Amino acid sequence: MRRIKKRSINTISIKRDVYVGNVDDKEEIKEEIVEETVNITPEKVTLEERTEPVCADVAADVENSVEEAETEAEAAEEKAEAEEAEEAETAEAAEDTAEAVEEVTEEVEEVPLEASEEESEEILDEEGSLDGTEEEARALAEEAQAVEDEAPAAEETAAEDEAAEEVIAEEIEEAEEVEELEEAEEVEETAEDAAEETEAAEEEKPAEKPEKEAFKLTAPANQDDILSKICVKRGRKLIYRPNEIIFNCTAAVIGTDKDNEEGIKVKNILDEEIKQGVKLGYIDKYDGLKMSEIKEEYENDVVYEYAEQEFKRVGLVLEGEKVKVYVYDWDMKALHHIGFVDQANVADLKPYLENRDKYSFDVCGLITGGKFRKVVKDEATGKITVEKGNDGKLGVELDISIVDRKD
């Protein structure tokens, strides 16, 4: 059997230490060189071949470690420089702030109201050395001393003024209180006087009159007697030809501005009849014309509100030497005395009224007077204006036609 000679290989030891420390706020890196120890047995040639790869790996590790240490050192150095720069900036900012505060403090530092004599002399000396001569400085010092001497007197004067003001204020307050008391007494007296006057007036005041009731048309008490004597259309319609008229006249009604036989104002009767006629559509204001039509048809003329429009029915009653006039309501249920036929026409009418059964009477009662509108045209400019008016003569005019009895 062949014996193989044993080869011994000593262990390869590698030692690497890296130390990083701060010395005087500066980065330093100390490295200990890697020590490599390779003990090879007498069979050197053969072992070299076997250990060569291991040595290469160790060398690579050492190189990498060195590079890492250098990188860390550089990073630490950069960090230290950045911190140093930041600290420098902070210190500079603090210094600037301190200077600014010191300047502001110097600006707002209060000047003492009064200075000692030594300080005053120093100030005057400095002012004199800067702005003027010693004489000027002395003059300023004397003025300051005079002001200082006058200060107590000014204080006394101010105290006196304040005391005087307090006295005046008290007097004013007392005067106001007295005035208020006097005014209160006057008001109280006035109220009492007014109450007495009101009471006396109430005692002397006559009883209040009751409110006037609105006028209403009422049938006369003797209406049946009147109807038995009245000359009027007997039927609803009375149709005749113009050549059949045996008597015709136009007569005014007298007394429309007075009271009638019942003591009623005729004007009230006429107003109420017109009001009811408008309401029922028998009468139209201004004949139902519009303003433009009034201007066209009544140029330089007058148009009345209700004039020339007629009542429902009018009748005549002969009483002695007078002829009474009656106007019917629009519903024909009552009639009212409104005046008398103008006396100038009575003599001509009387024979027909006395023989009323032989004749038929057509009596129309037309409204006259009252409110109107006057249309005026300016010849120079052609402008048309309308003026309002009221003649205050509301009345009735009669158009009487008599024919032989038709019914």
Side-chain angles (χ1 to χ4, degrees), residues 110-389:
E110 295 183 356
V111 179
L113 296 175
E114 295 183 358
S116 63
E117 294 181 358
E118 295 178 356
E119 291 175 349
S120 299
E121 290 178 358
E122 290 178 0
I123 292 169
L124 290 174
D125 291 340
E126 291 176 359
E127 289 180 353
S129 61
L130 293 174
D131 300 329
T133 62
E134 293 181 0
E135 294 179 356
E136 292 177 352
R138 289 176 183 175
L140 291 172
E142 291 176 358
E143 290 179 1
Q145 186 64 33
V147 171
E148 185 177 355
D149 294 339
E150 291 176 358
E155 292 178 357
E156 292 178 359
T157 303
E160 292 176 357
D161 293 341
E162 186 176 357
E165 289 177 358
E166 290 179 357
V167 172
I168 293 171
E170 291 177 358
E171 292 178 354
I172 292 172
E173 187 175 357
E174 291 177 358
E176 289 178 351
E177 291 178 357
V178 171
E179 187 176 356
E180 289 177 358
L181 290 173
E182 291 177 353
E183 289 178 356
E185 291 176 357
E186 290 178 359
V187 170
E188 187 176 358
E189 291 176 358
T190 304
E192 291 177 357
D193 295 341
E196 291 176 359
E197 291 177 359
T198 304
E199 187 176 355
E202 289 178 354
E203 291 177 357
E204 295 176 359
K205 186 177 180 180
E208 293 183 359
K209 294 181 180 180
E211 293 183 3
K212 188 176 181 180
E213 294 182 0
F215 178 77
K216 293 181 181 180
L217 291 173
T218 57
N222 60 339
Q223 180 166 288
D224 293 339
D225 183 47
I226 296 170
L227 291 174
S228 65
K229 299 176 184 179
I230 199 163
C231 298
V232 70
K233 290 180 182 178
R234 291 187 175 85
R236 284 188 171 183
K237 293 181 180 180
L238 177 60
I239 300 173
Y240 57 91
R241 295 176 181 176
N243 58 3
E244 294 181 282
I245 299 173
I246 58 178
F247 178 82
N248 176 264
C249 74
T250 300
V253 178
I254 307 302
T256 55
D257 56 345
K258 298 177 181 180
D259 295 346
N260 68 358
E261 59 185 3
E262 296 178 274
I264 301 172
K265 287 185 178 180
V266 175
K267 183 179 182 303
N268 291 340
I269 296 173
L270 297 179
D271 286 340
E272 188 63 22
E273 290 288 355
I274 291 171
K275 181 180 177 181
Q276 292 296 324
V278 173
K279 184 178 180 180
L280 296 173
Y282 292 102
I283 297 176
D284 293 321
K285 290 184 178 182
Y286 301 103
D287 288 328
L289 298 176
K290 297 178 181 179
M291 183 59 67
S292 58
E293 295 172 335
I294 291 174
K295 290 180 179 180
E296 182 178 353
E297 295 187 21
Y298 290 89
E299 183 177 312
N300 294 325
D301 199 355
V302 174
V303 55
Y304 281 86
E305 187 175 25
Y306 301 114
E308 298 184 7
Q309 298 188 67
E310 60 182 279
F311 292 108
K312 179 76 173 182
R313 185 173 292 183
V314 177
L316 306 176
V317 174
L318 178 63
E319 189 173 290
E321 297 299 322
K322 292 183 179 181
V323 178
K324 293 182 179 180
V325 181
Y326 291 86
V327 61
Y328 284 75
D329 289 340
W330 299 97
D331 58 5
M332 302 291 290
K333 292 181 179 180
L335 46 73
H336 312 278
H337 177 229
I338 61 169
F340 300 88
V341 174
D342 187 359
Q343 200 63 30
N345 303 100
V346 171
D348 296 332
L349 277 172
K350 189 174 180 180
Y352 301 100
L353 299 178
E354 289 175 340
N355 299 288
R356 66 186 185 86
D357 292 336
K358 296 180 180 180
Y359 305 101
S360 293
F361 299 86
D362 185 10
V363 183
C364 295
L366 303 176
I367 302 169
T368 60
K371 295 180 181 180
F372 64 85
R373 287 180 178 176
K374 184 178 181 181
V375 182
V376 180
K377 182 178 181 181
D378 190 334
E379 298 297 336
T381 62
K383 183 178 179 180
I384 297 176
T385 58
V386 179
E387 300 174 359
K388 294 181 180 181

Side-chain angles (χ1 to χ4, degrees), residues 25-82:
D25 295 331
K26 295 182 179 180
E27 298 290 336
E28 290 186 5
I29 301 173
K30 293 182 179 180
E31 297 182 1
E32 291 186 1
I33 306 301
V34 177
E35 296 180 356
E36 298 181 4
T37 305
V38 180
N39 294 324
I40 304 174
T41 58
E43 296 179 1
K44 187 177 180 181
V45 176
T46 304
L47 290 173
E48 186 177 359
E49 294 176 358
R50 298 180 64 181
T51 59
E52 184 175 0
V54 177
C55 292
D57 293 337
V58 171
D61 292 338
V62 171
E63 185 176 359
N64 290 335
S65 300
V66 172
E67 289 178 358
E68 290 177 1
E70 290 178 355
T71 302
E72 291 176 359
E74 290 177 359
E77 185 177 359
E78 290 177 358
K79 182 177 180 181
E81 289 178 357

Side-chain angles (χ1 to χ4, degrees), residues 93-111:
E95 186 178 354
D96 294 341
T97 303
E99 290 178 358
V101 170
E102 185 178 356
E103 290 177 359
V104 173
T105 303
E106 290 177 356
E107 289 178 359
V108 301
E109 184 179 2
E110 295 183 356
V111 179

